[in-house]
Amino acid sequence: MTVQNLDAECAKLGATLGTNGTKDTENSITKTLGVLEEQGVYALFLYLHAREKEWGKSTSCEFAKFLRQHSLLGSSTKDEPFGALQELATDLDKLLFARDLLYRALVYARYHAKAAQKGTPEKTT
């Protein structure tokens, strides 16, 4: 059995999500974090599909792929993960673990977006 560092996996996902570093990306990530905190995992996916256009759909796909890689989300018959999310909701431990992982990835994504937006500081000599 291979042991994975899930914090590092969340950091990689966060870097992927926050790469373009625009103010819009940072705002979208912040809104998405709020939905996850207040409403939960299922609402997060609904919000991403309904409100965040292309970024939201690609983020939703990334999240579904991430959760499947870590055996938290089963496969769905459609491209959309909503059936699999309903199944995830039947196991409270997995649901809370998935929420925590997505939250951590979004926090990292927000920091990546903010850092990319500001640029890297120049070296002083």
Side-chain angles (χ1 to χ4, degrees):
M1 180 176 182
T2 306
V3 177
Q4 293 179 324
N5 181 344
L6 291 178
D7 186 57
E9 295 291 319
C10 289
K12 286 179 194 174
L13 178 58
T16 300
L17 298 176
T19 51
N20 75 7
T22 67
K23 187 70 170 167
D24 288 342
T25 302
E26 186 182 345
N27 288 338
S28 293
I29 293 167
T30 300
K31 289 176 187 177
T32 303
L33 267 168
V35 170
L36 179 61
E37 286 180 320
E38 296 295 323
Q39 305 300 320
V41 175
Y42 192 84
L44 166 79
F45 279 87
L46 283 174
Y47 174 78
L48 288 170
H49 277 262
R51 299 294 300 260
E52 291 297 332
K53 300 177 182 149
E54 289 304 314
W55 181 85
K57 289 184 181 181
S58 67
T59 299
S60 174
C61 289
E62 289 292 325
F63 281 161
K65 180 176 150 186
F66 178 79
L67 293 175
R68 282 186 184 104
Q69 285 174 342
H70 300 293
S71 303
L72 294 170
L73 192 65
S75 61
S76 158
T77 56
K78 300 178 182 178
D79 290 336
E80 297 175 352
F82 297 109
L85 285 167
Q86 289 175 349
E87 185 180 318
L88 175 64
T90 63
D91 186 337
L92 185 59
D93 289 332
K94 281 186 176 182
L95 179 63
L96 294 175
F97 187 52
R99 183 197 63 189
D100 290 346
L101 291 175
L102 295 177
Y103 181 82
R104 184 172 297 265
L106 282 166
V107 168
Y108 287 138
R110 186 167 57 179
Y111 287 133
H112 277 282
K114 189 176 287 283
Q117 187 179 349
K118 293 186 183 227
T120 46
E122 294 181 27
K123 288 185 179 180
T124 55
T125 53

